[in-house]
Amino acid sequence: MGTHLSRTVAQGLAVMNLIDGKQMEALSGKRIDVACPSDGKVFASIPASAVEDVDMAVQAARRAFDEGPWGRMPAVERGRCLTRLGLLIEQHGDELAALESRDTGKPIRQGRADVTATMRYYEFYGGAADKIHGDTIPFLDGYTALTLREPHGVVAGIIPWNYPLQILARVAGAALAMGNTLVVKPAEDASLSAVRIAELALEAGVPAGVFNVITGYGRDAGAALSAHPLVDYVTFTGSTATGTAIQQAAATNNRGVTMELGGKSPQIVFADADIEAALPVLVNAVIQNGGQTCSAGSRILIEQPVYERVASALADRFSKLVAGPHDADLDLGALINPMQKERVAGMVAAAEEAGVTLLARGTVASDAPSDGYYFAPALFGSVDPGQAIAQEEVFGPVLTVTPFGDEADAIRIANSTEYGLVAGVWTKDGARQHRVAKRVRAGQVFVNGYGAGGGIELPFGGFKKSGHGREKGFEALYDMSATKTVVFNHG
Ligand code: ADP
């Protein structure tokens, strides 16, 4: 099993679904070609699963939940399976990082960072599995009331292409720790690592049928999975529009959902901030993963007195950024696919046509393959907060900077989009740090920093159109379970 992927690389990697512990072709036999974003060349293929494949995977997960050993296994044993999976991921780190960066176009160091975070998720949830429990509740005389934390049952995980390993890990880590079984549908553009992780999970002792992966298009496999009546809970990370479609599908069965959707996250820089410390963080927050990050810090709000200084320092840094192939490990890689590149380019062109000032552009490495999906980073200055480029999620390496007058103005602009995922606040004034952190509407607020290196332990999720439910940390375990109240009348 461990050599499955490496053996097939030379021939063009032909990945299979993993259903009930077995590798399976889609029943139709249809496959989807997988291209490397760095050069546009097809190097792999995945099954194009449809309704009947989804049904087979859900039935397997259902049986594994209703009849298998997983639910009855002591929590500590389930936790040990996840801990072993984390160790296997560490052992296979180079293979997984190479696979992920080739599949997504991300620089290899980002692939390695993703593997480290992935390992940490399974380590964290492996350790947490036996440390979550219910309560006893003071109730009427003659009664004892208690709560049990029960798994939902079959969890469907619909995963995006930007951080496939990490996002799968936060879903699977929490869902499996609580005793759920899983059917995962990775994104058609980046499915390879999910299949590999499910193989490693079998090796780690997760029973067959507990962790199933089916690949395919969202409109076919994804839609069938989110509407399947034997699925108990649906968790999704991806675009806001797709999140709405998935919630509508899940609503046909009245199922619960966790939605981790888009963002237009602000970073607010006050005049008293340590600007030299802030600058590299401000740039990295939007350049990491080519800006294809839901929590990207894509709007910078700068207090008037330091506006010129910060904007010109950012322009200087932006003009030196270089995009190139994943294995060249430059500032950023290619975007995921040609549609995404076109979308980002269209939004940048529209902003220029609307008269927004382009302050700086990075470059694409001169030796980057011409068929790769590269986009040179763009920085816009003096941006009116109402402009589309300052309101809509670009999901690319595009940053806007906007001046503000005072603290109230900053908070008003920060909260003026439809999103509410993450925010950054840069100031040395302690009272202001607390005030702004409370008033900014975002699921995470970082003070004098941003992103906190993966933050496995930190609850994460959105307000407004950024979604609902919380992932990461201990809170994900509550999302992936439900309270059962048991009342004893003992007189
Ligand atoms: P993008 O539009 O950039 O592909 P999405 O948010 O649509 O991003 O994709 C995230 C995940 O959602 C992918 O796994 C994709 O296949 C899946 N998906 C897309 N459309 C649907 C849908 N209608 N129902 C279920 N899943 C979907």
Side-chain angles (χ1 to χ4, degrees), residues 16-40:
M16 305 280 237
N17 287 332
L18 197 76
I19 300 176
D20 214 2
K22 293 185 274 298
Q23 293 183 348
M24 307 248 338
E25 196 60 82
L27 290 177
S28 68
K30 288 188 186 149
R31 298 188 73 83
I32 301 169
D33 282 341
V34 176
C36 173
S38 300
D39 57 14

Side-chain angles (χ1 to χ4, degrees), residues 158-161 185-188 216-219 222-223 226 236-239 242 245-246 340:
I158 298 175
I159 310 293
W161 44 258
K185 209 298 283 176
E188 50 271 37
Y217 291 113
R219 61 177 180 271
S226 42
F236 170 72
T237 302
S239 65
T242 300
I246 289 175
Q340 187 65 11

Side-chain angles (χ1 to χ4, degrees), residues 160-204:
W161 44 258
N162 57 345
Y163 294 91
L165 274 171
Q166 281 204 58
I167 293 173
L168 172 60
R170 70 194 195 204
V171 167
L176 296 179
M178 292 311 298
N180 298 283
T181 61
L182 262 180
V183 179
V184 169
K185 209 298 283 176
E188 50 271 37
D189 282 314
S191 293
L192 307 182
S193 60
V195 177
R196 188 71 186 110
I197 294 293
E199 289 176 356
L200 291 175
L202 277 177
E203 214 173 308

Side-chain angles (χ1 to χ4, degrees), residues 195-243:
V195 177
R196 188 71 186 110
I197 294 293
E199 289 176 356
L200 291 175
L202 277 177
E203 214 173 308
V206 175
V210 171
F211 190 160
N212 307 280
V213 178
I214 41 153
T215 63
Y217 291 113
R219 61 177 180 271
D220 301 328
L225 181 58
S226 42
H228 199 293
L230 295 183
V231 165
D232 295 298
Y233 194 85
V234 180
T235 170
F236 170 72
T237 302
S239 65
T240 297
T242 300

Side-chain angles (χ1 to χ4, degrees), residues 27-396:
L27 290 177
S28 68
K30 288 188 186 149
R31 298 188 73 83
I32 301 169
D33 282 341
V34 176
C36 173
S38 300
D39 57 14
K41 289 198 171 67
V42 172
F43 72 101
S45 67
I46 54 172
S49 307
V51 172
E52 60 275 13
D53 307 293
V54 170
D55 187 53
M56 203 190 303
V58 173
Q59 298 278 2
R62 187 80 257 164
R63 277 194 308 277
F65 184 78
D66 293 340
E67 299 158 27
W70 190 241
R72 285 188 294 279
M73 197 183 275
V76 65
E77 289 296 337
R78 279 202 309 271
R80 283 181 186 143
C81 289
L82 296 178
T83 305
R84 281 195 296 271
L85 176 54
L87 291 171
L88 283 170
I89 289 166
E90 197 169 35
Q91 281 165 23
H92 292 270
D94 289 345
E95 169 203 336
L96 287 165
L99 186 68
E100 189 83 325
S101 77
R102 190 174 186 195
D103 203 10
T104 60
K106 65 178 71 192
I108 185 70
R109 70 177 183 290
Q110 181 65 48
R112 285 196 205 101
D114 290 357
V115 169
T116 303
T118 298
M119 189 279 286
R120 281 283 296 123
Y121 276 114
Y122 292 109
E123 182 179 52
F124 181 90
Y125 288 113
D130 62 346
K131 292 166 193 68
I132 184 159
H133 45 71
D135 291 316
T136 54
I137 301 170
F139 193 49
L140 304 174
D141 188 34
Y143 290 83
T144 296
L146 56 84
T147 59
L148 302 172
R149 277 259 135 219
E150 300 259 319
H152 293 299
V154 176
V155 171
I158 298 175
I159 310 293
W161 44 258
N162 57 345
Y163 294 91
L165 274 171
Q166 281 204 58
I167 293 173
L168 172 60
R170 70 194 195 204
V171 167
L176 296 179
M178 292 311 298
N180 298 283
T181 61
L182 262 180
V183 179
V184 169
K185 209 298 283 176
E188 50 271 37
D189 282 314
S191 293
L192 307 182
S193 60
V195 177
R196 188 71 186 110
I197 294 293
E199 289 176 356
L200 291 175
L202 277 177
E203 214 173 308
V206 175
V210 171
F211 190 160
N212 307 280
V213 178
I214 41 153
T215 63
Y217 291 113
R219 61 177 180 271
D220 301 328
L225 181 58
S226 42
H228 199 293
L230 295 183
V231 165
D232 295 298
Y233 194 85
V234 180
T235 170
F236 170 72
T237 302
S239 65
T240 297
T242 300
T244 303
I246 289 175
Q247 287 177 85
Q248 283 165 343
T252 57
N253 304 309
N254 284 314
R255 293 305 193 254
V257 294
T258 297
M259 289 283 134
E260 205 272 88
L261 307 174
K264 191 72 180 174
S265 297
Q267 296 217 57
I268 306 171
V269 183
F270 287 94
D272 70 337
D274 181 345
I275 287 166
E276 287 313 306
L279 283 170
V281 181
L282 297 176
V283 173
N284 187 56
V286 74
I287 289 310
Q288 182 181 318
N289 218 45
Q292 302 168 120
T293 305
C294 50
S295 58
S298 52
R299 293 185 291 151
I300 298 185
L301 316 182
I302 306 171
E303 197 170 8
Q304 284 285 3
V306 292
Y307 177 80
E308 287 305 330
R309 179 180 157 205
V310 177
S312 74
L314 287 172
D316 186 47
R317 284 169 187 259
F318 253 69
S319 61
K320 294 181 183 134
L321 293 171
V322 185
H326 61 283
D327 43 8
D329 214 12
L330 304 176
D331 299 307
L332 60 161
L335 301 185
I336 190 73
N337 60 35
M339 285 84 70
Q340 187 65 11
K341 180 181 164 183
E342 230 169 79
R343 214 185 127 262
V344 174
M347 291 177 84
V348 165
E352 287 192 83
E353 271 161 39
V356 186
T357 311
L358 185 66
L359 282 187
R361 270 316 289 258
T363 51
V364 175
S366 54
D367 56 353
S370 58
D371 290 336
Y373 319 137
Y374 301 101
F375 187 81
L379 175 72
F380 287 101
S382 305
V383 181
D384 181 310
Q387 286 283 351
I389 199 74
Q391 287 286 321
E392 291 166 11
E393 184 178 46
V394 178
F395 226 63

